[in-house]
Amino acid sequence: MVLLFCMVSKSVVAIARPVISGGRDPCSVSDFKVLCRSVVKGQKNVNAATEVSIRELMKRTTKAKEVAASGQKSGGGLKTCYSNYDSAIGNLQKALKDLKKNDGFSLNINLSASLTEFDTCNDAMGGAKASNVFARSTKTLHEMADNCLALSTLVKQ
Ligand SMILES: *[C@@H]1O[C@H](CO)[C@@H](O)[C@H](O)[C@H]1NC(C)=O
């Protein structure tokens, strides 16, 4: 009986959500708003905006991982980035599952984990002072992960 009630109330929440979260620009909470808006493209629904941001980050990380793979034999930053991108993709996959389940708590943990992976890669590439193309792309990935985390705080539990 209790279980049935939970299931019913959950579906009511799911139906009501798009109405509640509509209207505002979700990217207003992000640190890198221009980048956020270029990915979210006007999507007002918070869950949809978070999902599209995570998917775009996964796509770009997969590409960056290929670049890192070709250079990782030279060691240094690229080797770190290769393995960190791999972990980051795993964490983002988990985050997508968490989002589908409206599990905001786990979503936050798994997105934070991916942000740390990008952070470490960024540092390994010389951080902000690095000027090569790969280092710049890893900086962008880090900013996108930061945006995903910001958007995820709007996801209703
Ligand atoms: C996300 O991370 C948390 C903490 O490690 C974990 O409990 C949760 O199951 C993860 N989500 C998925 C879908 O694995």
Side-chain angles (χ1 to χ4, degrees), residues 50-51 53-62 84-99 107 109-115 117-118 141 144-146 148-149:
T50 306
E51 183 177 342
S53 300
I54 294 172
R55 288 194 188 280
E56 181 64 24
L57 177 55
M58 285 175 80
K59 216 165 83 185
R60 294 205 199 180
T61 306
T62 303
N84 281 25
Y85 285 161
D86 199 50
S87 313
I89 291 167
N91 287 320
L92 293 170
Q93 269 158 354
K94 287 181 188 174
L96 280 178
K97 284 188 191 150
D98 298 331
L99 182 62
L107 177 64
I109 291 174
N110 293 312
L111 282 178
S112 300
S114 85
L115 183 61
E117 304 289 352
F118 290 116
L141 295 177
M144 288 176 76
D146 189 286
C148 286
L149 193 58

Side-chain angles (χ1 to χ4, degrees), residues 2-150:
V2 173
L3 181 67
L4 182 66
F5 175 75
C6 285
M7 286 164 68
V8 170
S9 65
K10 249 194 164 165
S11 61
V12 170
V13 171
I15 292 163
R17 182 167 297 110
V19 181
I20 296 166
S21 58
R24 288 259 192 103
D25 169 18
C27 287
S28 61
V29 301
S30 69
D31 288 333
F32 308 97
K33 294 182 178 56
V34 174
L35 180 61
C36 181
R37 287 178 186 129
S38 76
V39 174
V40 167
K41 296 188 172 79
Q43 175 61 259
K44 297 282 196 286
N45 179 281
V46 166
N47 287 51
T50 306
E51 183 177 342
V52 79
S53 300
I54 294 172
R55 288 194 188 280
E56 181 64 24
L57 177 55
M58 285 175 80
K59 216 165 83 185
R60 294 205 199 180
T61 306
T62 303
K63 276 191 197 147
K65 194 182 136 189
E66 285 162 16
V67 177
S70 61
Q72 68 162 330
K73 282 194 204 76
S74 60
L78 287 176
K79 199 171 179 206
T80 304
C81 288
Y82 177 78
S83 77
N84 281 25
Y85 285 161
D86 199 50
S87 313
I89 291 167
N91 287 320
L92 293 170
Q93 269 158 354
K94 287 181 188 174
L96 280 178
K97 284 188 191 150
D98 298 331
L99 182 62
K100 285 225 162 63
K101 287 187 284 185
N102 273 294
D103 181 354
F105 181 75
S106 300
L107 177 64
N108 184 273
I109 291 174
N110 293 312
L111 282 178
S112 300
S114 85
L115 183 61
T116 305
E117 304 289 352
F118 290 116
D119 225 354
T120 311
C121 165
N122 216 2
D123 288 347
M125 290 309 296
K129 66 182 189 321
S131 59
N132 69 67
V133 174
F134 185 82
R136 260 189 312 216
S137 93
T138 196
K139 188 166 161 274
T140 304
L141 295 177
H142 180 259
E143 292 175 355
M144 288 176 76
D146 189 286
N147 282 347
C148 286
L149 193 58

